[in-house]
């Protein structure tokens, strides 16, 4: 049985960031993930906003990690080579009641340690984002807000962790945990392992993992959200927020690191695992966007999707602490929004909890904090593109025309560690299929390349997880 010092259960953005944080120390770490790839849970279906940190209540766990996580993104993006932009954001107020909410948010933000908060009037609003509604009477401007591609963050962190010795056990659904005197025996769908300590970062599965280990009992609710993606804009929108409700930041209009516009997100309690999109939610998104940015051309929608936030019933906060019932078991549960924004700070917090739990963490002499990101052909100038094509003809074979992704990038996505094993895994790593046609042209090419590189038949190639084959046989 493979033995580890620490098993992180769950390979979402949070588990991958924790893995990266621990990879600098001389400990054996495994990420145990049920799906056949990382970042397949909530981490693949969210707005990608790195919220500034003024929204959480000051005495909450969210407040501790959101502002800090937002701050850490500058350093993490430089070290890991993922795209991060910090355009700032505005919460728009349309009446007196909203105006009072801005004051409250600013006070909270100051308490939470958020820098760069100011309340501004209509003139400044339109200097900052000329497309913001003319009906806005004031705004809370937060210079710290940013956005990322959330799966790029998780994948970058995972690649860096793997390069520093962390094992990624994908396709290993944890089914049973036996707490022993000196650690845990963990049964999975693909064999068993032993770990001295467990970090429960299992997203929608964290209540079940906690129960298996005999730790805290809690129930999760699935706060589902629908999101719309629009085609690229010449100037991506500065994130525009309405005033928040007690459970949601409301419908937000934002740019993305890839130049698209996103309208995110609705919030409704639905059946766990429900990732359907709903007409009523779409209407809420369109109405919300219209209110904040009336000139936004909502006919430019290229994709609608949904994800779910794993919310602990009765606790509108993250549960990040050592279990009081089971020694060596660290809870990182109920990571609803703002889990993306907080992930690097959650990782630091978990390191502290492991130390409190007695883990001995010595920095490794050969720790490598930097990751070399894959080449993004589309971002190169014509001479650099030409040079690559001269060296290897696969750089000249464009697979995805919408996003200009050559075959060499798809091959690299498959062979990095942990690499893509499905069409969606390729898409998350190099954007083949992410553009205007939403893979209408390139999906069959990606299937062929995956089959060739993974040495299987096209009939074996998966869209995403086990059982999601796309091709049933040749037609001619
Ligand atoms: C619509 C929507 C919009 C959002 N927008 C934002 C935003 O703009 N900014 C922001 O900060 N946050 C946002 N969030 C929240 C954010 O997406 C989550 O907080 C974050 O992705 C949680 O990451 P995670 O790693 O904890 O969970 P996940 O990504 O769900 O990862 C948990 C992993 O655990 C695995 N797992 C579960 N059970 C088991 C098991 N038994 N064995 C092994 N593995 C298991 C799962 O397969 C999964 O991969 C949004 C969420 C939604 C739904």
């Amino acid at each position: 049985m493979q033995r580890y010092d620490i098993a992180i259960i769950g390979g979402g953005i949070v588990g991958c960031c924790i893995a990266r944080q621990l990879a600098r120390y001389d400990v054996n770490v495994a990420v145990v993930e049920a799906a056949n790839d990382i970042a397949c849970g909530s981490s693949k279906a969210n707005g990608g906003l790195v919220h500034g940190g003024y929204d959480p209540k000051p005495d909450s766990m969210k407040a501790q990690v959101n502002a800090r996580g937002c701050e850490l993104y500058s350093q993490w993006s430089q070290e890991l080579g993922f795209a991060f932009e910090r355009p700032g954001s505005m919460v728009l107020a349309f009446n007196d009641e909203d105006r009072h909410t801005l004051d409250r948010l600013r006070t909270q933000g100051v308490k939470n340690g958020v820098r760069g908060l100011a309340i501004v009037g209509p003139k400044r609003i339109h200097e900052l984002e000329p497309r913001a509604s003319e009906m806005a009477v004031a705004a809370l401007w937060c210079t710290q807000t940013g956005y990322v591609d959330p799966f790029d963050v998780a994948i970058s962190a995972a690649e860096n962790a793997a390069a520093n010795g962390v094992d990624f056990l994908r396709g290993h659904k944890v089914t049973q945990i036996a707490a022993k005197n000196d650690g845990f025996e963990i049964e999975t769908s693909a064999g068993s392992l032993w770990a001295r300590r467990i970090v429960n970062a299992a997203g929608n599965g964290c209540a079940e993992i906690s129960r298996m280990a005999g730790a805290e009992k809690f129930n999760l609710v699935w706060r589902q959200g629908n999101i719309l993606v629009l085609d690229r804009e010449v100037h991506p929108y500065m994130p525009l927020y309405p005033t928040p409700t007690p459970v949601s930041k409301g419908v937000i209009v934002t740019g993305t690191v890839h130049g698209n516009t996103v309208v995110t997100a609705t919030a409704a309690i639905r059946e766990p695992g429900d990732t359907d999109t709903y007409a009523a939610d779409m209407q809420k998104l369109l109405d919300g966007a219209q209110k904040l940015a009336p000139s936004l051309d909502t006919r430019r929608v290229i994709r609608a999707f949904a994800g779910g936030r794993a919310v602990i019933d009765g606790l509108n906060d993250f549960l990040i602490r050592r279990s009081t019932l089971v020694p060596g078991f660290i809870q990182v549960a109920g990571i609803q929004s703002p889990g993306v924004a907080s992930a690097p700070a959650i990782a630091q917090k978990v390191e502290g909890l492991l130390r409190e739990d007695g883990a001995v963490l010595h920095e490794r002499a050969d720790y490598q904090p930097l990751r070399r990101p894959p080449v993004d052909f589309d971002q190169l100038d014509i001479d650099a593109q030409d040079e690559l094509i001269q060296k290897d003809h696969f750089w000249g074979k464009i697979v995805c025309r919408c996003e200009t992704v050559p075959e060499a990038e798809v091959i690299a996505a498959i062979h990095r560690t942990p690499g893509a094993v499905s069409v969606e895994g390729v898409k998350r790593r190099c954007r083949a299929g992410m553009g205007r046609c939403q893979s209408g042209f390139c999906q069959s090419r990606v299937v062929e390349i995956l089959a060739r590189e993974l040495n299987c038949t096209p009939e074996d190639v998966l869209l995403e997880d086990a059982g999601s084959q796309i091709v049933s046989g040749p037609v001619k």
Side-chain angles (χ1 to χ4, degrees), residues 9-15 32-35 40-43 45-51 172-174 201-205 209 212 223 225-227 264-265 307-309 335-342:
I9 302 179
I13 192 169
V14 171
V32 189
E33 168 54 53
C40 282
S42 299
S43 302
N46 61 69
L49 277 155
V50 179
H51 304 293
H172 284 62
K173 182 178 166 101
V174 173
N204 193 38
I209 296 294
M212 285 181 206
R223 191 182 290 152
N226 283 208
I227 296 181
T264 174
R309 310 161 182 93
I335 309 300
Q336 38 153 305
S337 187
V340 170
S342 311

Side-chain angles (χ1 to χ4, degrees), residues 136-190:
V137 292
L140 176 67
W141 176 31
C142 174
T143 59
Q144 297 306 296
T145 308
Y147 39 66
V148 286
D149 175 336
F151 17 94
D152 197 14
V153 176
I155 289 164
S156 307
E159 287 187 3
N160 183 243
N164 283 296
V166 172
D167 284 348
F168 280 81
L169 309 178
R170 296 179 289 175
H172 284 62
K173 182 178 166 101
V174 173
T175 52
Q176 218 174 307
I177 300 173
K180 305 279 175 188
N181 279 344
D182 58 344
F184 301 88
E185 271 175 29
I186 304 170
E187 291 294 328
T188 81
S189 53

Side-chain angles (χ1 to χ4, degrees), residues 228 230 263 285-286 289-290 293 295-302:
L228 288 172
L230 279 69
V263 183
L285 290 169
L286 296 174
Q290 181 72 24
S295 60
L296 181 69
D297 183 358
T298 47
R299 289 169 306 176
R300 290 159 59 88
V301 170
I302 58 170

